Structures are given as C-alpha cells and as structure tokens.
Amino acid sequence: MRGDRNEGPEVAEGMGPFERYLSLWVALAIVAGVALGQFVPAVPETLSRFEYAQVSIPVAVLIWAMIFPMMVQIDFGSILEVRRQPRGLAITTAVNWLIKPFTMFAIAWFFLLVLFEPLIPVDRAREYLAGAILLGAAPCTAMVFVWSYLTRGDPAYTLVQVAVNDLILLFAFAPIVVFLLGISDITVPWDTVALSVLLYIVIPLAAGWMTRVHLIRRRGQQWFEGVFLPRLGHIAPVALILTLVLLFAFQGEVILESPLHIGLIAVPLILQTFLIFFLAYGWARAWRVPHTVAAPGALIGASNFFELAVAAAIALFGLQSGAALATVVGVLVEVPLMLALVKIANRTRHHFPEVAKP
C-alpha cells in the first residue's frame, strides 16, 4: 500500500532525533541518573534542599520548560472548527475522559495489586498504581501532532482535538485523579492536587496563550511558526531529559534493588495503550469517520501527556516515590508502542472512508 511504502520517510521527516529515539534517551537518562545518585550523591542531596511547600524548585523549573513549548502551540480559536467533524470529537472526548482513566485504573489495579502481588510489596504497588492513574488521566497533548502527521491526519482537526482536550484537562484532571486515588486507598489532599493543576496546567496554558497572541500580533503568524516555535522546540527535550536524570538520581536504590519492577509496571501500561487505541479506532470505523480524523483521534487517547503525569507525580508524592517511577516507565514504553500503532493505522486505512459521510 502507498502508506506502507512511505512509512520510513514519513517517520524520518515527521520526527526529529529526540522523538524518534525517545526511549533510548530515557534509558540513557536512567543510567545517568542512577550513576549520579550512586557516585555523586551530593548533587541530588543539594538540589533536594531547594523546596517550597514540598515542591522542588529545580524540578518545577524544568517541568515548566517541558510543558510551556507545548502549550504555546495551541490555537484555541480552532475550536470553532468542531462542526466539521462532530463525531470524531465525540469519540475522542468520550474515550479520553469517560473510559480511559477508569480502564487504566482497573487494569493497573489487577496487575499490580492482584496478579503481581507476590512480586511487589503492597505499599510500593499502590504507589505504582498512583502513577498509572496519573498517566490515565492525562491524554496526549503535544506528541499527537507527530502521530497525526505520520498517519496523514487532518492537521486542522487534530488541532481542534488537542485544544478541546486541554480545556477539559483544566477542569477534569483533578476530580478524576482524586476520585481514583481515593478508591485506591491513596490519600491526596484536594489542595495538593489543585496546586499541581495550577502550577502545571493553568499557568503554562495561560502563559502559552498570551505569548502566542502577543508574538503573532507583533511578528506575524509566519515568523511565529517558522522561527519562534523551532527555536522553542529544543528546550522541552533538554528539560525532559534533565528532569529524568534528577528523578532517577533519587530512584537509584529502588532500581538497583528491584529492576524487575520496571518490567512489571510496563505490562498494564502496554495493555492499556492497545485497548484504548482499538476501542477508539473501532468506534470511529463503526461511525464511518474518515481516516484523517479517526487515526489521530485514536492515537491521542492511546498516548499520554507524560510531562504532566511526571510533574503531578513528583508534586503529589515526591521525586523518590513509586508513582514518579511509574510515570517514567510510561515515557519509556510510549514511543515504540505509538510507532507500532501508527503502522497499524496506516495499514488499515482502506477500511475507512476518505471523506466524511453525510
């Protein structure tokens, strides 16, 4: 098929070295972080002193540097285009917010607290479950543009999906997280979650919107997209890797003592990813949604806003927590999984209509 022949060049053109080898960079960050914590413990010990209200200032700065470049790309004016494909948006929204967080909880609970109970201490398993919940409540925001490109998705409609998703994220993330953590017997005060939402969603989103509006008015859309965004794009990858290095500097003992846990955490995350993709993708096919909307719509739910999940896990449970470790395992497995799903979407393009059906 035509999609298959072009898959290699599309991947090369659509993903830069960082995105294409994200799992490799994460693995290297794990090694560097563990080595830093073991051989130069003064570095994480010193950085851990810079805290305010149990929030690590160095990590907060790095997380803002990760999230802001994504938020500044969102054009909320695109939401007006929702009328073009209401079915696609309905599927994405329902799967992301009414299904995904709860299937993530159910699958992770079964594997981590029941099936793997002999292999993981119960307290640690609950921390891993908390990290999985945070991943499940944060559907993808930025990388979905890459997945959409690789499946020849409708870029305008992908932007609509992301914009609507971010608006819902503002109001739904905290209640869903508190509810699922609560039924998991993991106590998290509302004010702590609210502070995380303020720090890592509201402020970056508002700053990104104001920056976007100001720069486009002053320098124009072409300069903003052709000059500013490419320059800004180098900041987020560096910030992500530095955050992971710090995280694993604190997690070194856990990894060295229980390397099996990494693989065990990955199992429910992988199953959840495939479940959500095929649920949304199959629903879109049943509703005769065009492939240019169906593919990115299914991929946005299957992938996660892992930057937010990592930030929330660190803010709520700390750098040394199992929750933080679980969110990073999500980062580690996401890119290979998503590339596999992109390949599936491209090979099944012929099952979908080319244009919307009346």
Side-chain angles (χ1 to χ4, degrees):
M1 288 185 296
R2 182 180 50 167
D4 293 338
R5 286 199 305 267
N6 293 338
E7 186 172 301
E10 284 181 355
V11 170
E13 183 180 349
M15 303 180 73
F18 176 76
E19 292 86 357
R20 195 158 58 247
Y21 303 111
L22 179 58
S23 293
L24 173 61
W25 305 135
V26 172
L28 292 175
I30 293 174
V31 174
V34 171
L36 182 67
Q38 295 297 305
F39 299 111
V40 195
V43 174
E45 288 174 3
T46 301
L47 291 175
S48 66
R49 298 172 189 166
F50 295 93
E51 289 188 353
Y52 178 76
Q54 297 184 331
V55 174
S56 169
I57 302 303
V59 172
V61 171
L62 290 173
I63 289 171
W64 285 329
M66 280 193 293
I67 295 176
F68 174 77
M70 302 168 195
M71 297 304 193
V72 80
Q73 298 180 55
I74 304 302
D75 176 13
F76 289 106
S78 65
I79 294 177
L80 297 176
E81 296 297 315
V82 67
R83 62 185 181 275
R84 291 178 50 212
Q85 272 292 341
R87 286 188 173 188
L89 188 64
I91 294 170
T92 301
T93 304
V95 169
N96 283 354
W97 299 107
L98 300 180
I99 298 175
K100 178 181 179 178
F102 307 100
T103 56
M104 175 68 92
F105 164 77
I107 294 172
W109 175 85
F110 173 74
F111 277 91
L112 297 174
L113 289 173
V114 179
L115 196 61
F116 297 154
E117 187 268 340
L119 302 173
I120 307 176
V122 64
D123 291 341
R124 198 66 179 174
R126 291 191 185 280
E127 291 186 12
Y128 297 155
L129 175 59
I133 288 171
L134 291 170
L135 284 167
C140 186
T141 292
M143 287 291 283
V144 73
F145 291 109
V146 175
W147 313 136
S148 178
Y149 175 83
L150 297 180
T151 56
R152 295 189 228 150
D154 181 338
Y157 200 76
T158 301
L159 192 60
V160 174
Q161 291 176 313
V162 171
V164 171
N165 191 67
D166 277 356
L167 284 179
I168 297 174
L169 191 70
L170 279 172
F171 304 100
F173 180 76
I176 289 174
V177 166
V178 169
F179 172 72
L180 292 177
L181 291 177
I183 64 176
S184 308
D185 294 326
I186 302 169
T187 303
V188 178
W190 261 98
D191 55 352
T192 305
V193 180
L195 177 61
S196 298
V197 172
L198 177 66
L199 286 176
Y200 303 121
I201 301 178
V202 177
I203 292 177
L205 193 60
W209 177 77
M210 288 187 291
T211 301
R212 179 186 183 89
V213 170
H214 172 73
L215 290 179
I216 290 177
R217 285 177 179 173
R218 184 175 178 182
R219 305 294 294 270
Q221 186 84 25
Q222 186 174 357
W223 180 89
F224 177 80
E225 294 180 351
V227 178
F228 179 74
L229 288 183
R231 290 177 181 173
L232 196 65
H234 299 296
I235 297 175
V238 174
L240 174 60
I241 294 303
L242 290 177
T243 302
L244 297 182
V245 169
L246 280 183
L247 178 62
F248 281 102
F250 288 95
Q251 292 279 1
E253 291 297 329
V254 175
I255 294 172
L256 293 175
E257 292 174 2
S258 307
L260 176 65
H261 288 196
I262 302 294
L264 297 179
I265 294 168
V267 172
L269 301 185
I270 292 170
L271 291 176
Q272 161 79 357
T273 299
F274 280 100
L275 171 67
I276 292 301
F277 172 80
F278 284 110
L279 177 62
Y281 201 54
W283 187 353
R285 183 175 184 272
W287 270 15
R288 304 294 292 163
V289 174
H291 192 266
T292 55
V293 170
L299 292 166
I300 192 175
S303 54
N304 301 303
F305 190 174
F306 52 75
E307 293 85 355
L308 173 62
V310 171
I314 292 171
L316 296 176
F317 302 102
L319 275 165
Q320 295 175 289
S321 67
L325 179 62
T327 58
V328 176
V329 174
V331 184
L332 185 64
V333 302
E334 176 156 318
V335 171
L337 288 178
M338 296 310 296
L339 288 176
L341 293 178
V342 163
K343 188 173 184 179
I344 291 171
N346 285 335
R347 287 186 171 179
T348 56
R349 185 187 310 276
H350 60 282
H351 292 297
F352 290 77
E354 291 296 325
V355 296
K357 298 296 182 183

